[in-house]
């Protein structure tokens, strides 16, 4: 506003609501809105290469992690790209923004998370909320490359710029810059409040947590699902299932693993008070069910050509989610499985039990937590070799690539085998990764004072039967924030203080960032509406609205219990209470003595 001619400014400001998209969507309006060098410390804009053009009849983004239903409505927006450099560095960061029509703009800014090793490349996710949105190249051409493709310049040589940009910096800069441009773009005074939201799941959840931890005063409302944080432990965990099989020297056929999971669901479903196909209380399952009782049950699976998804994405992510071409290719490998007919073995149960127990070093000290019992054991599926007609160890590349590239610093896409790899080896990989990337990828800073004191609201959720990122990983972070921020308050006082701005919900039966084909449970559908109401109207939620989309109870609304309370159904009826259960909470509570530094 300051840099446009007075007459133009007055005209634009006076008629902002009457202005059409074409009126404001001009390169000169964008250039005039760019903050002068020195205004935003560390961000020098290069105005001459800005672009602006109207995109007509676009279809809704609603990409990864946003729980909103995909809309078929079309909309128009102003497609803007701006370019900046970090002073003295000579790098180039391209950011694209999507500005809604002036008549649709509701003083909001919206950032959408990515997934896997990718930041979101779609800037239009906020349009349906009347929000400006953004997406960034992060200085490493992130629209075309995922971060794991650029993390190494060569063997032994880490690209730290890309690491910090992917870790948290690129999104923070994009948001700070985008908000600064937004006011001037629409001719608003510079102190007009722009409500700023973030929404994402999986790595998008981690990215959200990175913003809460590092750019806390930029955001008013952050929705973070199943965050892939505690990055080192989380990525190495993807090697754990195969390490268990390697150590116990037994490769369960996938059908045997499926049977163990199915039988566990059948046995534990009623423990929460209602038999509906969903383990709403995996804690009660963990405390009361013995996997050994499945030994001897028969299983059968017909031969099939199956499609397996890489990166721990659910099918829904791939369908809805605008993954890069590379991810999509990786995400759909076809493999053949022969018919499998047998009975659940003691060895198979031992493998499942060890996986659900989590990882310990050889001194018996716990190093990490694991997936909740009843979650699919997807990382454990061996591969069928048609040449030898035998099952082979399958090391998921999600974990294997992390070890080769981020820990061993070798430009290889996966580990080739687990020869000589013990649980101690896994713990040392976790330790190396945690220390090396403690301030970039780990994303577990537990002091959120900046976010909290500037009025930020955090809605954190996690599918209780997530087979990729354990639900307990989220519980542990919530516990860390609570104990670090409120060390002197009583249990009750700290709970009340926390829920004013940080609420955490487990989603019964849900898988990774989506519903679970094995457990037809509820899933939250309108998180953004809830968050907007909380931020802009002060309506604080106390339960989370979720809807069942399949099975006997399809269409049922469940108001999910806020952690640490847990659901307990009234004898197969349609209502449940949110109860306090100390034993249950303890079953979700972990310490990690295998590491000498605190693991938040
Ligand atoms: C801001 O700095 C960048 C490089 O650091 C330069 O290219 C650009 O022209 C500067 N902008 C202005 C308006 O001087
Ligand atoms: C957008 O869609 C509307 C309604 O279908 C149509 O009338 C209009 O011509 C389209 N605009 C462009 C630029 O394609
Ligand atoms: C937005 O603008 C950029 C830069 O001109 C262009 O490369 C891109 O294709 C545009 N996007 C759409 C959806 O038109
Ligand atoms: C497990 O349950 C699913 C869903 O009901 C079913 O499709 C699958 O065939 C079952 N697998 C086994 C091995 O029982
Ligand atoms: C589960 O059952 C097996 C076999 O009956 C028994 O050996 C084992 O101790 C039981 N485990 C627990 C935790 O009770
Ligand atoms: C799997 O695919 C192969 C090759 O396309 C085909 O010959 C075979 O019949 C398929 N098997 C099943 C069980 O679909
Ligand atoms: C995202 O996916 C939708 C639906 O498949 C598609 O129309 C849209 O062009 C995609 N957007 C990007 C940025 O790839
Ligand atoms: C599985 O094996 C059992 C025992 O050998 C046999 O009775 C049964 O018919 C087999 N089931 C199928 C579907 O092949
Ligand atoms: C099976 O043998 C073929 C031909 O020798 C080879 O190309 C292929 O890689 C082998 N597959 C596996 C899984 O070893
Ligand atoms: C990097 O190391 C791997 C594993 O030792 C090796 O296969 C590869 O050739 C090396 N790459 C380069 C460019 O030296
Ligand atoms: C595993 O350890 C044995 C004995 O120490 C050694 O001979 C072998 O080379 C090792 N294998 C690998 C792949 O490191
Ligand atoms: C819950 O979400 C559904 C689906 O988005 C919506 O129709 C319903 O109004 C919401 N209920 C409440 C109480 O927020």
């Amino acid at each position: 506003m300051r840099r446009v001619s007075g007459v133009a400014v007055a005209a634009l400001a006076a008629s902002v609501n009457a202005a059409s998209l074409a009126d404001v969507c001009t390169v000169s309006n964008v250039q005039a809105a760019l903050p002068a060098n020195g205004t935003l410390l560390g961000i020098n804009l290069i105005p001459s290469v800005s672009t602006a053009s109207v995109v007509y009849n676009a279809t809704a983004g609603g990409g990864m992690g946003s729980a909103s239903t995909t809309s078929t409505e079309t909309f128009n927006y102003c497609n803007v790209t701006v370019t900046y450099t970090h002073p003295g560095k000579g790098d180039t960061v391209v950011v694209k923004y999507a500005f809604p029509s002036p008549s649709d703009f509701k003083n909001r800014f919206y950032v959408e998370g990515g997934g896997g090793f990718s930041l979101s490349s779609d800037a239009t996710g906020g349009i349906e909320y009347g929000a400006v949105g953004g997406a960034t190249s992060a200085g490493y051409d992130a629209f075309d490359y995922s971060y794991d493709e650029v993390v190494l310049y060569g063997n032994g040589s880490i690209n730290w710029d890309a690491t910090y940009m992917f870790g948290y910096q690129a999104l923070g800069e994009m948001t700070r810059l985008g908000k600064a441009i937004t006011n001037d773009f629409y001719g608003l005074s510079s102190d007009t409040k722009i409500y700023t939201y973030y929404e994402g799941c999986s790595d998008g959840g981690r990215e959200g947590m990175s913003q809460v931890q590092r750019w806390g005063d930029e955001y008013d409302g952050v929705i973070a699902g199943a965050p892939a944080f505690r990055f080192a432990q989380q990525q190495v965990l993807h090697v754990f299932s195969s390490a268990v099989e390697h150590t116990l020297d037994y490769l369960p056929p996938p059908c045997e693993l499926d049977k163990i999971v199915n039988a566990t669901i059948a046995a534990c479903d009623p423990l929460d008070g209602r038999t509906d196909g969903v383990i709403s209380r995996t804690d009660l399952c963990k405390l009361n069910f013995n996997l050994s009782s499945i030994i001897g049950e028969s299983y059968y699976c017909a031969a099939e050509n199956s499609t397996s998804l890489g990166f721990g994405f659910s099918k829904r992510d791939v369908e809805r989610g605008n993954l890069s071409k590379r991810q999509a290719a990786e995400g759909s490998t076809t493999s053949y499985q022969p018919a499998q007919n047998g009975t659940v073995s003691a060895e198979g149960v031992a493998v499942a039990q060890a996986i659900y127990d989590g990882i310990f070093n050889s001194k018996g000290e716990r190093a990490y937590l694991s997936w909740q019992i009843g979650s699919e054991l997807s990382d454990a599926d061996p591969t069928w070799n048609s040449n030898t007609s035998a099952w082979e160890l399958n090391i998921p590349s999600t974990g294997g690539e992390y070890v080769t590239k981020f820990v061993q610093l070798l430009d290889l896409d996966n580990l080739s085998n687990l020869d000589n790899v013990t649980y101690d080896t896994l713990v040392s990989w976790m330790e190396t990764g945690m220390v090396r990337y403690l301030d970039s990828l780990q994303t577990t800073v537990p002091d959120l004072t900046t976010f909290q004191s500037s009025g930020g609201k955090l809605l954190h959720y996690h599918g209780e039967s997530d087979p990729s990122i354990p639900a307990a990983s989220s519980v542990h972070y919530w516990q860390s924030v609570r104990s670090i921020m409120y060390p002197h308050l009583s249990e009750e006082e700290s709970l009340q203080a926390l829920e004013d701005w940080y609420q955490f919900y487990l989603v019964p039966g849900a898988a990774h960032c989506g519903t679970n084909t094995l457990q037809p449970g509820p899933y939250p559908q309108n998180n953004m509406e809830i968050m907007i109401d909380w931020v802009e109207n002060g309506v604080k939620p106390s339960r989370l609205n979720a809807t069942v989309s399949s099975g006997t109870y399809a269409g049922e609304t469940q108001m999910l219990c806020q952690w640490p309370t847990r659901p307990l159904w009234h004898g197969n009826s349609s209502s449940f209470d949110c109860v306090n259960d100390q034993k249950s909470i303890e079953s979700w509570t972990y310490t990690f003595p295998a590491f000498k530094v605190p693991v938040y």
Side-chain angles (χ1 to χ4, degrees), residues 5 344 588:
S5 86
V344 173
W588 287 91

Side-chain angles (χ1 to χ4, degrees), residues 366-382:
R366 180 178 284 280
Y368 206 42
L369 42 77
S370 187
W371 304 283
Q372 291 301 108
I373 187 167
S375 304
E376 277 192 86
L377 295 162
S378 346
D379 276 354
D381 281 346

Side-chain angles (χ1 to χ4, degrees), residues 1-218:
M1 187 151 161
R2 298 172 298 279
R3 288 168 301 281
V4 212
S5 86
V7 175
V9 171
L12 191 55
S15 64
V16 62
N17 287 321
S20 73
L21 186 58
D23 291 338
V24 291
C25 193
T26 63
V27 171
S28 60
N29 190 38
V30 168
Q31 285 173 336
L34 298 179
N37 289 345
T39 314
L40 299 180
L41 193 62
I43 297 177
N44 274 11
L45 285 140
I46 306 170
S48 56
V49 287
S50 308
T51 70
S53 56
V54 178
V55 176
Y56 292 100
N57 294 341
T59 48
M64 281 215 54
S66 74
S68 62
T69 45
T70 312
S71 146
T72 49
E73 264 177 64
T74 63
F75 53 86
N76 306 332
Y77 67 95
C78 181
N79 170 28
V80 166
T81 63
V82 303
T83 301
Y84 68 90
T85 184
H86 296 102
K89 192 168 213 136
D91 60 345
T92 302
V93 183
V94 178
V95 185
K96 53 183 177 188
Y97 294 109
F99 290 86
S101 292
S103 56
D104 294 336
F105 178 59
K106 297 197 175 120
N107 291 16
R108 293 176 186 147
F109 191 86
Y110 175 91
V111 181
E112 180 174 323
F117 282 110
S118 298
L119 302 172
S120 171
S121 57
D122 179 12
T124 63
I127 302 274
E128 63 177 302
Y129 308 111
V132 177
T136 173
S137 78
Y140 61 84
D141 212 355
F143 300 138
D144 294 318
Y145 294 93
S146 67
Y147 159 62
D148 57 321
E149 293 175 281
V150 301
V151 60
L152 294 178
Y153 289 117
N155 286 341
S157 178
I158 298 171
N159 183 345
W160 283 110
D161 288 327
T163 298
Y164 284 104
M165 287 296 270
F166 175 77
Y168 56 84
Q169 190 183 344
L171 290 180
E173 290 178 347
M174 178 188 85
T175 299
R176 183 166 287 177
L177 176 59
K179 288 165 70 177
I181 296 173
T182 295
N183 289 59
D184 277 3
F185 181 88
Y186 289 110
L188 303 169
S189 68
S190 60
D191 58 358
T192 302
K193 170 76 178 170
I194 304 296
Y195 295 106
T196 305
Y197 299 94
Y198 179 95
E199 184 175 26
C201 198
S202 193
D203 196 73
R206 185 201 63 78
E207 293 157 24
M209 289 298 189
S210 81
Q211 300 305 286
V212 170
Q213 294 168 14
R214 306 276 180 174
W215 299 82
D217 48 1
E218 294 292 342

Side-chain angles (χ1 to χ4, degrees), residues 437-511:
Y437 306 101
L438 195 56
D439 63 344
S440 51
L441 302 175
Q442 190 73 357
T443 325
T444 48
V445 178
D447 176 9
L448 305 182
T449 301
T450 302
F451 179 75
Q452 182 267 330
S453 62
S454 63
K457 310 289 184 240
L458 175 57
L459 178 59
H460 175 186
Y461 66 93
H462 205 132
E464 187 158 336
S465 291
D466 189 326
S468 179
I469 300 176
S473 156
S474 278
V475 171
H476 187 71
Y477 181 71
W478 179 93
Q479 291 172 330
S480 297
V481 172
R482 176 180 170 177
S483 62
I484 289 293
M485 291 190 64
Y486 302 111
H488 304 303
L489 296 187
S490 72
E491 186 133 321
E492 197 47 43
E493 288 166 340
S494 67
L495 261 184
Q496 280 186 6
L498 199 54
E499 68 149 38
D500 274 345
W501 60 276
Y502 176 8
Q503 301 192 356
F504 173 60
Y505 294 88
L506 285 167
V507 185

